[in-house]
Amino acid sequence: MSPSVPRRTPRRRIAGTVGVLVAVGVVITGLVQAAPSSAPPTLDPRISSVMRKAEYRHAQWGLFQQNPETGKVTQSRYADQFFIPGSTAKLFSVSGTWHTLGGGHRFVTPVHAVGQRRGATLKGDLDLVAQGDLTLGGRTRKDGTVAFTTIDHTYANDVPGATLTPQDPLAGLHHLAQQVRTSGIRRVDGDVVVDARLFRPDPALDPAPTPLIINDNLIDLLTSPGARVGAPAGLQWRPKVAPYHVTSSVRTVAAGKPADITVSSSADGTRIRLTGTIAADSAPVLRVSAVKDPNAFGRTAMIEALKRAGVEVRAKAIGPNPSGRLPKSYQGAPAVARYTSPAYSQYAKLILKVSHNLGANLGICLMATTTGSTNCEDGFPVLARFLEHAHVDRKAVQLADGRGGNPADRTTPRALAQILTYWQHTSDARAFRMSLPILGVDGTLADSCPSCPSRGKVFAKTGTAAGGDTLNDRLAVGAETAAGYLETRPGHFDVFFAGVNGASTPNADINGVLAVGNDVADVAAYLQQQASARR
């Protein structure tokens, strides 16, 4: 164990100060100010023009660009000063998980028959042993790749335009249930139990991963306008699992008005209500509600899947997960079903493309399990050792989570360049690069610079940290960052960082935050064009 990794008590205390998440990445509490280590090189005048905007009057920009083969630095502005990273911190956590598990690692989730078989009847329980599979088939395409959208459903309550992938969120459970039937079991004279002992959920990680994750532990709520002004809005929701129940009083209003839809739920999360309005000409509006007890939810969903597959379970479907029935081991209890996930590299692509916070935090817990620990915090020493292996200056990185959402999280532009340089010297260089959002093509950069000369030539993880500035009725953009690769000529890539800490929006509209993100994307594009012109 690395002696320099912060322990649980201080990390919990700091985590309690987190503000309000409003954009892809994270929240903020402060701003780092420091003098540049050296005078910056001459900037492309287009970059200088961006930096001189009113939004950045009190902000600090950082830049770094380097050839990872020769080590030559072509841009350096505050390269060794701490910045709030936003979700560029995921470059560290995902890299550590990828290296620790292996890009080809697959999660195999078994169902064990615990008890005695008598013909088609199991006198005992079916135990679903959760393995930390991030999607459990809920996003898996027929070709084995993992589906994602430009704005993920996990951001639906904060960022406009979130959409759903078409895959069935319960696909993995359907697969397991059908295998149970194929094994010859038609009746379970016992219960279905979720074994979630792989690791203990850590509330200091927000969102806190759980060993069993179905649909990102969310209920999707899709509202469509009614047939006319004043009519009730249409509602579709998924996954439909007892005893979850959704009602809506959303009404249709005149075309052109903004959607104003609020989600509330009961204390246990099972009674969900939508209120508000949707414009007559609006596209469907997505909202989400949290699953408060993933194990009870998963147990009920599995019992319902078994029933659809023709397997009856004597126990009532609705109720708490009876974890006290779990055996000490599964020796002598055969696996009657298994679900095998896509490779971890596919999950890494999902996490990095859409800035998937739950998946990034999950990586910390998964690294802990490789040491035999059920304590997620024990993943940090694993990550620390990897960063040393990757020749990243660990003192230039501060992390208290996997997603870049803790107020303590900091990194320098040079440290981000170091982790990116590491990947360029591995056999997974292309796979890692392609897992990043691509400018004007996909992920969080899909809508940036779609027609500029740099389209498809900038590969970068983005990060956003923003919260409400109530004093000035605007949003404080603690961080807007991007770090990745610039294609300087075919097959050749520079590593780079471009980001700003301490920007402000004109008002409290989230579109102001998105505009700052577009400015950072433009700076990255100008760096790429300038580098290409030099060659």
Side-chain angles (χ1 to χ4, degrees):
M1 178 181 293
S2 169
S4 64
V5 175
R7 300 314 301 156
R8 178 175 300 276
T9 300
R11 190 161 64 92
R12 285 188 186 281
R13 185 171 63 248
I14 293 170
T17 68
V18 173
V20 179
L21 171 68
V22 299
V24 178
V26 46
V27 290
I28 60 109
T29 59
L31 169 66
V32 176
Q33 293 287 351
S37 55
S38 60
T42 302
L43 289 177
D44 184 308
R46 295 172 296 179
I47 296 177
S48 299
S49 178
V50 170
M51 292 180 175
R52 286 195 298 266
K53 287 185 176 183
E55 295 92 323
Y56 312 121
R57 178 182 176 188
H58 302 294
Q60 176 168 290
W61 280 86
L63 293 175
F64 190 75
Q65 184 178 349
Q66 184 178 34
N67 184 320
E69 303 301 327
T70 66
K72 181 181 178 181
V73 175
T74 53
Q75 290 290 345
S76 182
R77 180 183 177 94
Y78 297 101
D80 296 301
Q81 304 301 315
F82 272 140
F83 278 75
I84 298 168
S87 283
T88 57
K90 291 180 173 72
L91 291 169
F92 297 118
S93 59
V94 171
S95 294
T97 310
W98 187 321
H99 174 81
T100 302
L101 300 181
H105 176 80
R106 297 176 187 270
F107 301 88
V108 181
T109 302
V111 174
H112 288 272
V114 180
Q116 300 296 318
R117 290 277 296 270
R118 295 182 181 176
T121 300
L122 172 65
K123 297 287 187 178
D125 299 337
L126 288 175
D127 290 1
L128 190 162
V129 186
Q131 298 294 309
D133 186 333
L134 179 58
T135 71
L136 201 62
R139 296 180 187 247
T140 305
R141 301 185 181 101
K142 290 183 179 180
D143 64 359
T145 58
V146 172
F148 57 89
T149 62
T150 298
I151 302 177
D152 193 63
H153 77 142
T154 55
Y155 286 103
N157 291 354
D158 300 303
V159 182
T163 55
L164 296 171
T165 60
Q167 288 75 25
D168 182 354
L170 302 177
L173 297 185
H174 293 320
H175 184 82
L176 289 168
Q178 190 59 52
Q179 284 190 60
V180 170
R181 177 180 170 84
T182 301
S183 76
I185 295 174
R186 298 290 188 275
R187 178 175 173 81
V188 178
D189 280 347
D191 213 327
V192 170
V193 190
V194 172
D195 186 341
R197 295 177 291 187
L198 181 68
F199 59 81
R200 301 189 302 274
D202 185 347
L205 297 175
D206 180 21
T210 51
L212 181 68
I213 298 171
I214 298 171
N215 201 44
D216 300 310
N217 294 337
L218 295 172
I219 302 295
D220 296 317
L221 311 158
L222 193 64
T223 299
S224 301
R228 63 186 183 281
V229 172
L235 173 66
Q236 294 177 297
W237 63 281
R238 70 174 202 182
K240 292 185 177 178
V241 174
Y244 282 74
H245 182 69
V246 182
T247 58
S248 173
S249 62
V250 177
R251 310 295 291 186
T252 307
V253 295
K257 292 184 175 294
D260 182 14
I261 300 173
T262 300
V263 179
S264 60
S265 68
S266 58
D268 65 358
T270 63
R271 292 294 181 267
I272 302 168
R273 181 167 179 78
L274 288 83
T275 58
T277 59
I278 185 171
D281 60 345
S282 173
V285 174
L286 181 65
R287 295 289 186 265
V288 292
S289 186
V291 171
K292 303 291 182 65
D293 188 342
N295 295 333
F297 181 84
R299 171 187 173 271
T300 298
M302 185 64 185
I303 291 174
E304 292 177 344
L306 287 164
K307 183 176 181 179
R308 287 190 290 270
V311 180
E312 293 295 327
V313 178
R314 187 179 66 179
K316 292 182 179 179
I318 299 172
N321 182 52
S323 57
R325 298 171 65 99
L326 292 171
K328 291 183 178 180
S329 77
Y330 289 102
Q331 185 175 358
V336 292
R338 291 184 178 86
Y339 180 78
T340 302
S341 77
Y344 179 76
S345 59
Q346 279 292 311
Y347 284 177
K349 179 182 286 189
L350 167 66
I351 295 166
L352 295 172
K353 291 284 190 187
V354 308
S355 207
H356 197 284
N357 292 325
L358 182 65
N361 280 345
L362 176 63
I364 301 296
C365 301
L366 293 175
M367 284 187 279
T369 66
T370 65
T371 70
S373 174
T374 60
N375 182 351
C376 290
E377 195 163 335
D378 288 334
F380 285 100
V382 179
L383 177 58
R385 288 192 291 271
F386 161 70
L387 293 179
E388 291 176 346
H389 164 78
H391 301 292
V392 174
D393 179 4
R394 185 151 57 92
K395 300 299 185 182
V397 182
Q398 294 179 178
L399 288 179
D401 64 6
R403 73 175 182 99
N406 190 287
D409 293 347
R410 296 290 188 276
T411 186
T412 67
R414 194 184 303 273
L416 285 164
Q418 288 168 344
I419 192 63
L420 293 161
T421 296
Y422 162 80
W423 283 107
Q424 278 298 93
H425 297 130
T426 71
S427 59
D428 284 330
R430 184 180 185 279
F432 184 81
R433 184 174 65 252
M434 296 302 294
S435 72
L436 301 175
I438 303 173
L439 186 69
V441 176
D442 64 17
T444 55
L445 287 174
D447 297 328
S448 299
C449 212
S451 302
C452 73
S454 297
R455 181 183 186 274
K457 298 177 182 178
V458 177
F459 308 77
K461 180 71 197 77
T462 60
T464 302
D469 175 6
T470 307
L471 178 67
N472 297 294
D473 191 25
R474 62 183 182 180
L475 297 175
V477 186
E480 190 66 55
T481 55
Y485 303 97
L486 308 171
E487 187 169 23
T488 58
R489 64 182 190 274
H492 293 266
F493 302 89
D494 280 2
V495 296
F496 86 98
F497 168 88
V500 60
N501 275 187
S504 302
T505 63
N507 50 46
D509 188 341
I510 191 175
N511 286 307
V513 179
L514 303 179
V516 177
N518 285 332
D519 280 346
V520 172
D522 286 346
V523 169
Y526 299 149
L527 289 174
Q528 187 277 328
Q529 292 163 32
Q530 189 177 34
S532 295
R534 285 197 298 265
R535 289 163 171 80

